[in-house]
């Protein structure tokens, strides 16, 4: 697959045929993020699926000035979602974060629409229905027929291949991913994902538009997990393996990553928070889509937690036990052990081992041409709240040091998981 993000096929789509009312973001005008309040009056947008993500995306689009049609297959769901959104806006007004006029204007721009057939012509459609390839494929074929040929068709998928979703669209160059993070109203990051046939003009259009929505877009190829869900895999996997091997208990590993690494949450408590089942599903999806690359192999520890129903905070127990009100029942870390592990051999140093793998994953993504180094770092800082981007971190540690650490890990745990990316030593990433 051609994965160069700069790849284009401008002959397939005339960039000047972009919807005229959205030309605030033509490629030549791309540059610094435009403050949301400077966004010009804008064109109609539709959001398909009024669940957790769709409702938030609709609110963000309406706040940027778009008229938004909101469609949901479940009868009454779009109206119910709008009512919840209205309550949320009222809370923002009560807290002084929004004026009543602004809240009324945002709400007034969103219209529940009964079905896709009843949609007005839109300049952008964002799909946020459940993560089911066949469902999305059918929906995109239907949208492509029902909407003008210039309408940009975007999916909020977190894991599916954009090219596969565009399979039955006759002009797939206008299909791309707009991967918002949860909740879309608060998370600034949006991954703009291009499939094999997505035209560069549309990627640039979407990137510029996201800036006018007050978001920070990053561009990536439709690679398994995109940027964030791919690069983050070893953050969880290394911690689980260290606990599995009996090197340290979960509380000690989490303490090291938090206190010595500066991560806002330890990897093990974070998987409990996300849900062990959800985290395992994402990891397994990346593992399957990469042809079961050992770098992404799920751990027995996590599989067993899920099999036993220990899904984390939501089920009352996971890696840690939780009290009835959902608060974590504290387990004290072994601080003496933590001090001995950090700075010791890499195989038993949770921090060095995790960082080496994060850096490796990040540089490999860049080496394959799937995203730029700058975008990878931006995505990881905004999408996961890592204290530094992994590539900047790699520069600080030294890519040669990371390569040597991985060689040590590879010798200790053969099988390919720890193979160093050629980018660590070939000078391709300065
Ligand atoms: N929840 C997250 O944290 C998150 C984050 C990023 C991306 N995503 C992705 O966003 C998408 C939506 O996720 P969600 O969490 O909002 O799901 P959700 O289950 O909360 O909402 C999906 C909505 O789509 C509706 N729907 C189902 N089939 C439909 C159809 N044919 N036409 C119109 N509406 C239909 C459902 O009735 C439901 O209201 C998924 O692809 C998911 O992977 C989710």
């Amino acid at each position: 697959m051609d994965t160069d993000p700069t790849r284009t096929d401008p002959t397939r789509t005339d960039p000047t045929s972009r919807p005229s009312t959205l030309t605030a973001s033509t490629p030549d005008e791309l540059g610094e993020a435009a403050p949301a309040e400077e966004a010009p009056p804008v064109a109609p947008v539709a959001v398909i699926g009024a669940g957790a993500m769709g409702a938030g995306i609709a609110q963000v689009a309406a706040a940027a000035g778009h008229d938004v049609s909101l469609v949901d297959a479940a009868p009454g769901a779009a109206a119910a979602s709008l009512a919840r959104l209205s309550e949320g806006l009222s809370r923002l007004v009560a807290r002084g974060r929004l004026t009543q006029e602004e809240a009324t204007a945002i709400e007034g721009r969103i219209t529940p629409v009964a079905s896709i057939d009843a949609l007005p012509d839109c300049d952008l459609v964002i799909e946020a229905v459940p993560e089911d390839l066949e469902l999305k494929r059918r929906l995109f074929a239907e949208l492509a027929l029902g909407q003008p040929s210039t309408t940009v068709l975007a999916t909020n998928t977190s894991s599916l291949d954009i090219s596969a979703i565009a399979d039955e669209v006759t002009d797939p160059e206008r299909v791309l991913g707009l991967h918002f993070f949860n909740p879309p109203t608060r998370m600034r990051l949006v991954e703009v994902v291009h499939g094999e046939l997505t035209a560069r003009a549309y990627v640039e259009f979407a990137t510029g538009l996201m800036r006018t929505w007050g978001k920070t877009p990053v561009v990536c190829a439709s690679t398994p997990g995109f940027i964030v869900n791919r690069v983050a895999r070893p953050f969880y996997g290394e911690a689980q393996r260290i606990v599995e091997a009996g090197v340290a208990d979960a509380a000690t590993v989490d303490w090291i990553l938090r206190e010595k690494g500066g991560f806002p949450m330890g990897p093990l408590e974070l998987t409990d928070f996300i849900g062990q089942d959800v985290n395992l599903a994402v990891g397994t999806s990346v593992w399957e889509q990469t042809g079961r690359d050992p770098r992404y192999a799920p751990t027995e520890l996590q599989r067993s937690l899920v099999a036993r129903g220990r899904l984390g905070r939501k089920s009352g127990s996971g890696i840690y036990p939780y009290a009835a009100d959902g608060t974590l029942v504290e387990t004290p870390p072994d601080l003496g052990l933590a001090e001995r592990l950090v700075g010791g051999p890499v195989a038993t140093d949770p921090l060095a081992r995790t960082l080496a793998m994060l850096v490796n994953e990040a540089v490999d993504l860049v080496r394959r041409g799937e995203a730029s180094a700058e975008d990878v770092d931006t995505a990881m800082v905004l999408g996961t709240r890592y204290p530094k981007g992994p590539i900047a971190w790699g520069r600080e540690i030294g890519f040669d040091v990371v390569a040597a650490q991985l060689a040590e890990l590879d010798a200790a745990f053969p099988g390919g998981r720890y193979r160093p990316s050629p980018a660590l030593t070939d000078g391709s990433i300065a």
Side-chain angles (χ1 to χ4, degrees):
M1 178 169 110
D2 176 3
T3 51
D4 180 355
T6 59
R7 166 193 43 72
T8 63
D9 186 357
T11 56
R12 297 184 67 96
T13 304
D14 175 8
T16 58
S17 70
R18 284 293 323 111
S20 59
T21 41
L22 285 175
T23 52
S25 311
T26 55
D28 288 344
E29 292 164 325
L30 290 175
E32 291 306 305
E37 60 273 20
E38 284 177 20
V42 281
V45 165
V47 177
I48 317 297
M53 296 304 290
I57 295 168
Q59 180 176 330
V60 172
H66 296 266
D67 283 330
V68 181
S69 303
L70 186 58
V71 179
D72 198 288
S81 174
L82 186 54
R84 278 193 301 277
L85 191 150
S86 171
E87 286 166 21
L89 289 171
S90 299
R91 283 194 293 275
L92 290 178
V93 171
R95 279 191 241 137
R97 304 264 305 276
L98 213 58
T99 66
Q100 184 56 57
E101 292 68 36
E102 286 166 334
T104 307
I106 292 170
E107 201 182 322
R109 289 190 202 108
I110 305 175
T111 310
V113 171
S115 70
I116 286 174
D117 301 339
L119 280 177
D121 285 356
C122 292
D123 286 354
L124 170 66
V125 179
I126 304 177
E127 163 276 312
V129 304
E131 195 76 334
D132 172 336
L133 179 59
E134 274 320 305
L135 173 64
K136 290 188 196 266
R137 217 196 289 251
R138 277 200 313 275
L139 202 62
F140 272 71
E142 199 181 332
L143 286 166
L145 288 176
Q147 287 288 318
S149 62
T150 50
T151 305
V152 177
L153 304 176
T155 170
N156 187 47
T157 182
S158 351
S159 65
L160 300 173
D161 179 27
I162 304 302
S163 307
I165 291 175
D167 235 12
E168 288 170 27
V169 174
T170 45
D171 42 5
E173 57 274 0
R174 61 178 168 140
V175 177
L176 47 79
L178 283 178
H179 183 215
F180 289 79
F181 287 71
N182 194 6
T185 47
R186 286 218 303 274
M187 294 292 283
R188 270 170 58 201
L189 183 67
V190 177
E191 291 178 326
V192 179
V193 188
H194 55 87
E196 283 175 64
L197 297 173
T198 310
R200 180 177 180 164
Y202 287 114
V203 173
E204 288 174 335
F205 152 73
T207 308
L209 185 69
M210 288 304 102
R211 289 198 177 109
T212 72
W213 289 15
K215 298 296 177 193
T216 303
V218 292
V219 176
C220 66
S222 184
T223 181
F226 310 143
I227 300 175
V228 172
N229 281 333
R230 174 84 169 252
V231 175
R233 304 288 17 111
F235 185 63
Y236 313 110
E238 291 310 305
Q240 289 164 10
R241 282 171 170 75
I242 287 166
V243 170
E244 245 174 13
V247 173
D249 65 350
T252 305
V253 173
D254 276 345
W255 184 89
I256 290 171
L257 271 295
R258 267 194 330 264
E259 302 303 323
K260 302 277 186 184
F263 290 91
M265 276 178 101
L268 299 153
E269 57 183 337
L270 183 54
T271 50
D272 263 1
F273 182 76
I274 295 169
Q276 296 296 340
D277 51 340
V278 174
N279 189 254
L280 176 64
V282 175
T284 304
S285 159
V286 172
W287 182 53
E288 294 291 356
Q289 289 185 65
T290 54
R292 300 196 162 191
D293 185 328
R295 266 191 194 160
Y296 312 106
T299 59
E300 277 314 311
L301 171 68
Q302 192 169 42
R303 282 182 165 145
S304 143
L305 285 172
V306 173
R308 285 179 290 147
R310 287 176 51 176
L311 307 182
R313 190 173 297 235
K314 64 185 172 187
S315 72
S317 78
I319 288 271
Y320 296 103
Y322 294 85
D325 67 354
T327 52
L328 193 152
V329 178
E330 295 282 346
T331 322
D334 182 339
L335 297 184
L337 176 64
E339 293 299 340
R340 288 195 299 282
L341 294 180
V342 176
V346 68
T348 51
D349 178 346
L351 181 58
R353 187 166 152 175
T354 302
L355 290 181
M357 286 293 275
L358 287 175
V359 173
N360 199 38
E361 202 56 55
V363 297
D364 222 25
L365 198 83
V366 176
R367 179 185 69 90
R368 292 192 303 267
E370 292 167 352
S372 71
E374 193 188 353
D375 276 358
V376 169
D377 275 2
T378 300
M380 298 316 289
V381 170
L382 291 183
T384 61
R385 298 202 297 136
Y386 287 176
K388 286 177 206 166
I391 293 179
W393 222 330
R395 283 194 195 102
E396 264 180 46
I397 299 167
F399 290 135
D400 52 338
V401 173
V402 173
Q405 290 172 327
L406 289 165
E408 210 176 312
L409 287 166
D410 194 34
F413 311 105
R417 176 173 174 84
Y418 297 97
R419 66 188 186 279
S421 165
L424 290 171
T425 44
D426 67 8
S428 60
I429 299 170

